[in-house]
Amino acid sequence: MRVLTGIKPTGRPHLGNYLGSIRPAVALSKERETFLFIADLHALTTIRDATELRELVCDVAATWLACGLDPERTVFYRQSDVPEISELNWILACYTGQGLLDRAHAYKAARDTGEEVNVGLYTYPVLMSADILAFDSTHVPVGQDQKQHLEICRDIATRFNHYHGEVLTVPEPIIDDHVAVIPGLDGRKMSKSYGNTIPLFFERQGVKKKIMSIVSDSTPLEEPKDPDSSLVYQLYSMMAPTDRAAEMADKLRAGGYGWGHAKKELVALFHELFEERAKTYDRLMANRGELEEVFAAGAQRARAQAADTLDRVKKALGLL
Ligand code: ADP
Ligand code: TRP
């Protein structure tokens, strides 16, 4: 079993990313062989500013490393450092029916809302297939929004194999339907697009104020409260170990414990989880040479694997 995941560097990582993506992936990487990469080529479909792209790539990488990703265990690399992926991208494009891409949700959504549709966005699923197939990945954890991309990848691999034999490994999705959607400060899904996020490291100075100003009902302090009625408890229970979450729920139900107290505990828990990690994050952000070394070592391992696959593919095609 080889698990592979890509992270698109299009925003500063927030608590929703941590709970929904980073924490489970880091846990999985302790049990399985894992490939994890920063999908900077995919980000080019939207990002036009060099400084912004560089910052986001570093921020995402520093965040994952600070949150416990071990680059010795996990093959951790930057997509653009592995040119074999782009080479495979072209080959796979020649095995991709246009109809398959015409039906892709992400492209259709952009087209329907009048956003710019560049060919990169249109062929996004092909590059994603190259990401996956270059490493003989057997399993790809994806959210609902990426499910169709994985189906396209399976179609492309199956079509290639139909002509050339079992050259490519057809991957299985791991779709975790029960990963909770983390609510943002306004109660909607926490997302950079809604501006309702709790940042993990970048601009973390504002976190206390953001948490303290979460709107809560005006039940008097001494009255019992319904834990689930408030965002404060929802966030706390998603971050804390089960027994600590149960303790807070009991205190709220018992009365004599206010939302202000709960908010303070939430702030304290945030610090407990991220204060030490922030030091690692700050060090990596201040010392880009260290990050570059991690990327270089990862690219070396990734390229060796991708070159093997490409060799097999080229032999099958008659290019070698
Ligand atoms: P955003 O919604 O801020 O644009 P992304 O779509 O870039 O976030 O999400 C990257 C990863 O983080 C995805 O794997 C997604 O599952 C996870 N994620 C993002 N926001 C949340 C959330 N509110 N709850 C759970 N997981 C989330
Ligand atoms: N498309 C994914 C996203 O938007 C990122 C990604 C790129 C990816 N290549 C991948 C995810 C390969 C899994 C496997 O989140």
Side-chain angles (χ1 to χ4, degrees), residues 188-223:
R188 293 187 289 174
K189 173 186 181 257
M190 188 179 290
S191 168
K192 60 175 176 291
S193 338
Y194 297 145
N196 62 357
T197 64
I198 296 180
L200 282 182
F201 300 123
F202 184 75
E203 292 181 345
R204 62 183 180 273
Q205 300 74 8
V207 167
K208 183 174 177 194
K209 204 167 150 207
K210 285 187 170 177
I211 292 178
M212 294 313 288
S213 49
I214 292 175
V215 181
S216 41
D217 67 38
S218 50
T219 318
L221 178 70
E222 57 283 0
E223 296 277 310

Side-chain angles (χ1 to χ4, degrees), residues 7 10 29 68 83 121 131 134 245:
I7 312 136
T10 44
S29 73
L121 177 69
D131 292 331

Side-chain angles (χ1 to χ4, degrees), residues 90-302:
W90 169 255
I91 294 171
L92 296 179
C94 299
Y95 287 79
T96 308
Q98 188 183 349
L100 208 55
L101 300 184
D102 284 340
R103 289 190 291 277
H105 302 315
Y107 151 68
K108 284 204 306 193
R111 189 195 55 193
D112 295 345
T113 54
E115 274 171 56
E116 175 195 319
V117 177
N118 52 61
V119 176
L121 177 69
Y122 182 67
T123 61
Y124 186 109
V126 184
L127 181 58
M128 184 159 157
S129 302
D131 292 331
I132 296 169
L133 300 173
F135 299 97
D136 290 321
S137 319
T138 60
H139 291 82
V140 183
V142 284
Q144 280 296 340
D145 62 326
Q146 298 297 313
K147 211 170 132 185
Q148 190 194 30
H149 288 154
L150 209 75
E151 279 159 16
I152 296 176
C153 173
R154 288 171 55 86
D155 273 4
I156 296 174
T158 307
R159 181 142 184 226
F160 188 96
N161 287 348
H162 170 76
Y163 288 100
H164 303 293
E166 294 305 304
V167 177
L168 298 172
T169 305
V170 183
E172 298 290 335
I174 306 180
I175 296 171
D176 208 341
D177 282 326
H178 56 265
V179 168
V181 172
I182 314 301
L185 291 164
D186 58 359
R188 293 187 289 174
K189 173 186 181 257
M190 188 179 290
S191 168
K192 60 175 176 291
S193 338
Y194 297 145
N196 62 357
T197 64
I198 296 180
L200 282 182
F201 300 123
F202 184 75
E203 292 181 345
R204 62 183 180 273
Q205 300 74 8
V207 167
K208 183 174 177 194
K209 204 167 150 207
K210 285 187 170 177
I211 292 178
M212 294 313 288
S213 49
I214 292 175
V215 181
S216 41
D217 67 38
S218 50
T219 318
L221 178 70
E222 57 283 0
E223 296 277 310
K225 296 169 194 67
D226 173 15
D228 296 315
S229 69
S230 165
L231 183 61
V232 181
Y233 178 73
Q234 284 172 36
L235 289 175
Y236 189 84
S237 65
M238 286 162 169
M239 288 162 66
T242 331
D243 51 336
R244 276 176 66 182
E247 239 172 72
M248 182 186 276
D250 288 345
K251 284 193 276 187
L252 285 162
R253 285 197 198 97
Y257 179 83
W259 291 119
H261 297 123
K263 287 179 190 175
K264 280 194 189 134
E265 281 202 57
L266 181 59
V267 172
L269 178 61
F270 184 88
H271 287 311
E272 207 180 297
L273 282 178
F274 298 113
E275 211 161 46
E276 271 309 301
R277 290 169 170 175
K279 291 182 189 156
T280 308
Y281 168 88
D282 287 344
R283 190 193 74 233
L284 291 167
M285 288 303 277
N287 178 7
R288 302 290 167 95
E290 194 178 334
L291 268 184
E292 285 302 329
E293 277 171 28
V294 173
F295 282 142
Q300 205 177 6
R301 291 165 74 190

